[in-house]
Each structure stands twice: as C-alpha cells, then as structure tokens.
C-alpha cells in the first residue's frame, strides 16, 4: 500500500490542475452560449452547412451528368414529338376529307329534297287517265324497273332496295308512274339524309381525333423545349433545426413555429415557355 500511494500521490496535483482547466473551459463555453447564443449558433450552422455541401468537383460532375440526361431525354421527346406531328398532320388531312364528304352529302340531300318537293307539288294535280290494260301495266312496270336501276346506278339507292323494287316487295308496279316516281324520290331523299348524318358523324369523329393529335404533338414539343431550357431554381441552404437559445424557446401560439428555429423557402415558380407549332 505504501508503494501504491507513493506512486500515485505525486501525480494528483497535476491531474487536479487538468480537471480544473477543463471545467473552466466548459464553464466559459456555457457562459458564452448563454450570453451570445446567436453568434455561436450561426458559426456552428455555417460550419455544418459547409461540411454538408458538395465540393466544386462533385457539383461539376453532377451538373454534367444532369446535362447529359436532360439532352438525352430532350432528344427522345423530340423524336416522339416529330412522330406525333406527323400523326396530327395525317389526322388533319383525314378530317378535311371527311369534311368534304359531309359537304357533298349535304348537297346531295338538298338536291333530293328539292326533287321530292317538286314532285309533291306535281302530284297534287289530278292524274291523267289512261286505259287500264295489260300493256299499260307492263309499261308502268318497265318504267319503274328502269327508274330504279337508274337510281341505283347513280348510287341513290342500295342494291337491296333495288331488289325489293324489282321483286315487288312493298312496291306496286301497277300504280301510276307519277306516284311511283314520288315514292322513289322519297326513298332517295331518305337515303341522302341518312348518308349525310353518317358523314357528319364521321367528320365530327375525325375532327376530335385531329384535335387530340394536335394537342399531343404540342404537349410533346413543349416538353422537349422545357427539357432543353429548364427553369432555373434558386439554391436552397441547409437549415439546422435546434441549437436555439433561450429566445427561441419562448412560448408561441398553437400551430406556429419560431422563425429563428426553422425557415421556409419561398415557392419556386414553375412552368413551360410557349413554343410555336
């Protein structure tokens, strides 16, 4: 025991001095934090922010990789935009064709309606009397068949309707030619009206398809332009939550946060520049 005490006791004053120095330094730091906490907090935040930020080489490498990816993406979108533009042009050509067909169907319907009105006015007059003989009925039948075949040749009636007329399915060949022509003109008018409705529906569908194709092409062009010309965003700073002094721990209303503890970054304006088609 005497040997142990003799070896330890001489070092006790030096150890005590070291502990006293450490306690003095700690007390000085605590007092400085209490007196001027903002200075030390800002210095600490700056040091941590500097340590967390990437170096200039890393930033340059990341920027180069981002530029390459953006250019590659812009090229892909540009190819898709060119294909969409070709599709839009083809859809517009189809719409113009459908519009011309609808206009032609409307003109045909107007002509058929005019013929039907003219014959309706003529049928209001008394019909001429003819001898009801087998020869007269044969002439009426031949006239009806010839008029029906001419109408089918002009594509005014369908093949099935022609077959009904020739077979006497719903048609009486013994009627007067004026009445038969009126019935035939009514059939032609109804056919022209149905064709015009179908052509108008096709034209409307083609127009909608062309509009969608044009919108898709414009969207892809805007996307390609935005990829090549990105909107510059402000750099965000590293914010440290904590290390707040006594003034940051004061009581605040419910649902609020002290501005000295955290900071909100201003919203970044995003959008695309308009690109002419």
């Amino acid at each position: 025991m005497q040997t142990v005490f003799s070896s330890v006791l001489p070092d006790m004053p030096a150890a005590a001095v070291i502990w006293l120095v450490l306690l003095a330094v700690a007390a000085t730091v605590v007092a400085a934090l209490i007196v001027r906490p903002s200075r030390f907090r800002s210095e600490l935040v700056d040091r941590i922010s500097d340590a967390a930020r990437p170096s200039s080489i890393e930033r340059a490498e990341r920027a180069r990789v981002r530029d390459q990816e953006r250019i590659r993406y812009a090229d892909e979108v540009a190819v898709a935009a060119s294909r969409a533009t070709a599709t839009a042009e083809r859809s517009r050509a189809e719409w113009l064709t459908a519009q011309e067909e609808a206009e032609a169907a409307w003109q045909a319907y107007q002509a058929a309606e005019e013929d039907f009105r003219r014959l309706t006015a003529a049928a209001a007059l008394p019909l001429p009397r003819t001898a009801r003989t087998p020869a007269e009925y044969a002439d009426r039948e031949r006239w009806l068949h010839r008029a029906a075949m001419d109408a089918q040749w002009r594509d005014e009636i369908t093949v099935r309707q022609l077959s009904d007329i020739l077979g006497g399915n719903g048609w009486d060949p013994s009627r007067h030619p004026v009445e038969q022509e009126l019935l035939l003109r009514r059939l032609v008018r109804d056919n022209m009206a149905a064709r015009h409705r179908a052509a108008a529906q096709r034209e409307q569908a083609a127009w909608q398809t062309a509009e969608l194709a044009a919108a898709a092409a414009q969207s892809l062009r805007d996307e390609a332009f935005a990829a090549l010309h990105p909107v510059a965003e402000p750099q965000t700073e590293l914010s440290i939550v904590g290390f707040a002094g006594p003034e940051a721990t004061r009581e605040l209303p419910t649902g609020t946060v002290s501005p000295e503890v955290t900071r909100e970054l201003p919203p970044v304006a995003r959008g695309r520049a308009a690109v002419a088609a």
Side-chain angles (χ1 to χ4, degrees):
M1 291 298 294
Q2 292 178 357
T3 304
V4 172
F5 281 113
S6 62
S7 60
V8 173
L9 288 178
D11 296 332
M12 289 295 293
V17 170
I18 293 173
W19 279 105
L20 290 176
V21 171
L22 293 175
L23 290 175
V25 171
T28 303
V29 172
V30 171
L33 288 175
I34 295 175
V35 175
R36 300 186 64 181
S38 59
R39 177 181 177 183
F40 289 93
R41 184 173 67 252
S42 61
E43 292 179 356
L44 182 59
V45 169
D46 293 340
R47 292 181 180 179
I48 296 177
S49 300
D50 294 338
R53 293 193 186 96
S55 63
S56 58
I57 299 177
E58 293 177 351
R59 288 196 299 269
E61 181 64 21
R62 293 179 183 177
R64 186 182 64 81
V65 172
R66 285 196 302 268
D67 292 340
Q68 291 179 352
E69 293 178 353
R70 185 176 66 250
I71 293 173
R72 182 172 62 253
Y73 175 73
D75 293 339
E76 294 176 355
V77 176
V79 173
S82 63
R83 295 177 180 175
T85 302
T87 302
E89 293 176 354
R90 184 171 60 254
S91 299
R92 178 175 175 80
E94 293 175 355
W95 168 62
L96 292 176
T97 302
Q99 190 179 29
E100 293 176 357
E101 292 177 354
E103 182 64 23
W106 171 254
Q107 296 296 334
Y109 167 72
Q110 290 292 319
E113 179 68 21
E114 185 65 24
D115 290 342
F116 177 75
R117 290 179 181 177
R118 178 177 54 82
L119 291 175
T120 301
L125 300 175
L127 298 177
R129 294 182 178 274
T130 57
R132 297 187 178 183
T133 61
E136 174 65 21
Y137 289 148
D139 290 341
R140 292 182 179 184
E141 185 176 4
R142 283 194 299 270
W143 184 92
L144 177 60
H145 292 175
R146 185 173 59 253
M149 287 187 291
D150 291 342
Q152 201 282 326
W153 182 79
R154 292 191 299 268
D155 198 22
E156 294 177 347
I157 62 176
T158 62
V159 176
R160 183 174 182 179
Q161 291 172 344
L162 176 62
S163 177
D164 293 338
I165 294 174
L166 297 179
N169 186 13
W171 291 79
D172 185 7
S174 64
R175 302 183 68 171
H176 195 276
V178 174
E179 296 177 346
Q180 292 175 351
E181 187 176 5
L182 180 61
L183 294 176
L184 186 60
R185 289 297 97 190
R186 178 182 295 173
L187 178 61
V188 172
R189 183 201 61 177
D190 294 342
N191 289 342
M192 295 300 104
R195 292 180 184 179
H196 174 258
R197 287 193 297 269
Q201 292 177 357
R202 290 194 299 270
E203 187 269 339
Q204 185 69 18
W207 176 77
Q208 293 178 356
T209 302
E211 286 292 315
L212 292 176
Q218 183 63 37
S219 177
L220 289 174
R221 286 193 295 268
D222 293 343
E223 190 71 21
F225 182 84
L228 289 177
H229 305 84
V231 178
E233 298 183 1
Q235 297 180 354
T236 59
E237 296 182 356
L238 180 64
S239 60
I240 304 298
V241 179
F243 304 100
E247 67 277 5
T249 59
R250 60 180 180 273
E251 295 183 359
L252 297 175
T254 305
T256 60
V257 182
S258 173
E260 298 180 1
V261 179
T262 58
R263 291 180 295 173
E264 294 184 356
L265 295 175
V268 180
R270 297 179 182 271
R272 295 177 181 170
V275 181

